[in-house]
Structure formats: C-alpha cells, structure tokens
C-alpha cells in the first residue's frame, strides 16, 4: 500500500459518512500540509452544527477533538473554507492558544482563522483550477 492510499484510509476513518465526503477528502491533505498539522481531528459533516443557534456553518469542538461542518445546500468551496477555518482553530488548540473567547468576532484567534482559511482556499483554487 502506498502512502497516498494509507492517507486516504486515515481520512476515511476520521470523516463521518456523508455524500459530501469526496470533495472534503480531496481537500484535507492539501489543508493539512498548508497549515502544518501533523494529525487531523474527526470531521463530521452535519445538517446543523450541534449546540449552535443554526446560524453557524462550522465549529471546532475541542472537548470532542472534532470539527463540525455544514456542507448541504452550500457551494463546495464555501464549505471547504469553513473547514479550513475550523482546522485553524484546531491548530490553535494543538498549540495551546485556544481559549473560551477565541471564537469571538474580532478576537486575534478568530481573525487568524479567517485570514489563514482565505490563504488556504486561494492556494487550493490555484492548485485545483477545475
């Protein structure tokens, strides 16, 4: 088994079953490399983010080591940007830089997640023009 097949198996193990898995699975290795993340949290594609008011499209839940992302009814690139944003929060947590107010609008951690997710998506779009 080559390294790519092994990686795909690991990706399959961390993503919940969903019709949107294919585009997420193709994106995760790219995002992981871009963000310098050695391991990934569990990724759950959901219709609605648990414990949210229905207005958010993603959430990193450190207590579960899980990223929730809503993909249904959204453009795939928009869902991937949300995933990249939440993976930045995961990275912040791994670096012990995530705290209770980190997700507040305008916080340094939230601004970093927004900026880095934008860079990841720009680079992904350039590498995958299709």
């Amino acid at each position: 088994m080559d390294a790519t097949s092994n990686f795909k198996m690991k990706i399959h193990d961390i993503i919940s079953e969903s019709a949107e898995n294919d585009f997420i699975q193709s994106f995760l290795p790219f995002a992981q490399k871009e963000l310098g993340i050695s391991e990934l949290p569990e990724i759950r594609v959901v219709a609605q983010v648990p414990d949210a008011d229905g207005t958010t499209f993603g959430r990193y839940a450190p207590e579960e080591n899980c990223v929730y992302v809503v993909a249904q009814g959204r453009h795939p690139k928009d869902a991937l940007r949300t995933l990249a944003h939440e993976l930045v929060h995961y990275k912040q947590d791994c670096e012990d830089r995530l705290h209770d107010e980190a997700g507040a609008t305008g916080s340094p951690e939230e601004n970093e997640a927004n900026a880095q997710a934008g860079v990841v998506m720009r680079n992904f779009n350039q590498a995958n023009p299709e």
Side-chain angles (χ1 to χ4, degrees):
M1 180 179 300
D2 65 11
T4 303
S5 297
N6 189 28
F7 186 80
K8 285 184 180 180
M9 286 178 58
K10 288 181 182 177
I11 294 296
H12 179 74
D13 291 343
I14 63 170
I15 299 178
S16 60
E17 290 302 316
S18 165
E20 292 84 5
N21 283 358
D22 288 345
F23 74 88
I24 291 175
Q25 286 185 11
S26 67
F27 175 72
L28 279 172
F30 185 89
Q32 186 175 10
K33 183 178 177 185
E34 283 281 307
L35 295 172
I37 299 170
S38 61
E39 294 183 26
L40 290 168
E42 181 179 358
I43 312 293
R44 293 186 189 162
V45 180
V46 295
Q48 183 173 348
V49 176
D51 300 324
D53 61 8
T55 61
T56 187
F57 292 116
R59 176 175 169 249
Y60 167 59
E63 66 281 0
E64 300 174 52
N65 193 39
C66 180
V67 167
Y68 292 95
V69 63
V70 175
Q72 184 178 7
R74 299 175 68 201
H75 191 282
K77 289 181 182 179
D78 187 41
L80 294 180
R81 190 199 177 290
T82 297
L83 178 56
H85 176 102
E86 299 308 329
L87 287 173
V88 173
H89 286 314
Y90 167 74
K91 179 179 179 178
Q92 291 167 340
D93 188 33
C94 290
E95 296 171 347
D96 202 28
R97 299 188 297 121
L98 200 62
H99 54 82
D100 290 343
E101 300 302 315
T105 301
S107 72
E109 296 81 10
E110 190 67 7
N111 290 343
E112 177 186 7
N114 285 326
Q116 283 197 324
V119 170
V120 169
M121 288 309 300
R122 178 176 283 191
N123 292 342
F124 183 74
N125 287 336
Q126 287 174 350
N128 300 279
E130 68 284 353

